[in-house]
Amino acid sequence: MTNNLAELKLPRLYPAQRKAIFAPERYSIIEASTKAGKTVGCMVWLLSRAWEDGGIGKNYWWVAPVSEQANIAFKRIRNGLSMKPAPKINLTNKTIELPNGATIWFKSGDTPDSLYGEDVHAVVIDEASRVKEDSWYAIRSTLTQTRGQVRIIGNVKG
């Protein structure tokens, strides 16, 4: 994948990952056992959405039940990105601003009221069965104007 500013190289996904995660549907629920590749696949998906469709002022979110879980994806993506010019990393706000101006935010679903307000173009909800129900309503409202896609991932629970 290329952009006039830089080149983004993403890891290849195996066919089942690509089929489930890169599905054309606006909403996609991916439920699988631990270590099946949901997180890595969705990291690739969110980065590709932000890179291909992003631009200045466009927001993309990774939402996990608690901040510590969002930090896992933030750290993995941050450590895996190698591009020139380098993305702008904000450790305090847990954001990655790509050279095209798109910003990926890593958020907690622990306080649903903190998820309202922004226009968001794509979201991954990690460990979705553990995210508060009210967080879903907040996330969905951020996607209304943009008609953004969401990938809802989690393990079988119960």
Side-chain angles (χ1 to χ4, degrees):
M1 290 173 227
T2 60
N3 181 301
N4 292 336
L5 297 172
E7 185 174 340
L8 176 65
K9 294 181 182 177
L10 296 171
R12 289 188 176 195
L13 302 180
Y14 60 87
Q17 274 178 305
R18 180 160 287 287
K19 183 178 178 184
I21 297 167
F22 281 79
E25 289 79 13
R26 188 166 171 220
Y27 300 135
S28 185
I29 299 170
I30 300 107
E31 185 178 68
S33 63
T34 59
K35 306 302 174 202
K38 300 177 302 293
T39 300
V40 170
C42 283
M43 290 181 345
V44 168
W45 177 81
L46 192 63
L47 272 167
S48 70
R49 295 285 55 83
W51 187 251
E52 294 170 7
D53 304 330
I56 295 170
K58 288 193 171 182
N59 297 295
Y60 299 81
W61 285 1
W62 186 281
V63 179
V66 294
S67 191
E68 291 80 10
Q69 285 173 310
N71 284 341
I72 294 168
F74 179 53
K75 182 179 176 183
R76 286 181 184 176
I77 290 176
R78 188 178 80 227
N79 291 339
L81 280 176
S82 60
M83 62 173 51
K84 291 188 184 230
K88 295 175 186 172
I89 309 291
N90 185 314
L91 297 174
T92 303
N93 293 330
K94 290 187 272 186
T95 62
I96 298 171
E97 184 181 322
L98 298 177
N100 68 359
T103 302
I104 303 172
W105 298 75
F106 297 82
K107 297 182 159 282
S108 165
D110 196 38
T111 308
D113 286 343
S114 70
L115 299 173
Y116 285 96
E118 288 286 351
D119 289 335
V120 180
H121 293 267
V123 176
V124 172
I125 304 174
D126 193 9
E127 298 293 347
S129 62
R130 293 167 173 78
V131 172
K132 292 181 178 180
E133 184 177 342
D134 285 346
S135 292
W136 164 246
Y137 299 121
I139 292 165
R140 202 174 88 194
S141 78
T142 69
L143 296 167
T144 300
Q145 174 63 32
T146 65
R147 302 283 303 152
Q149 290 183 308
V150 62
R151 296 299 175 258
I152 302 166
I153 60 175
N155 299 322
V156 176
K157 181 180 175 188

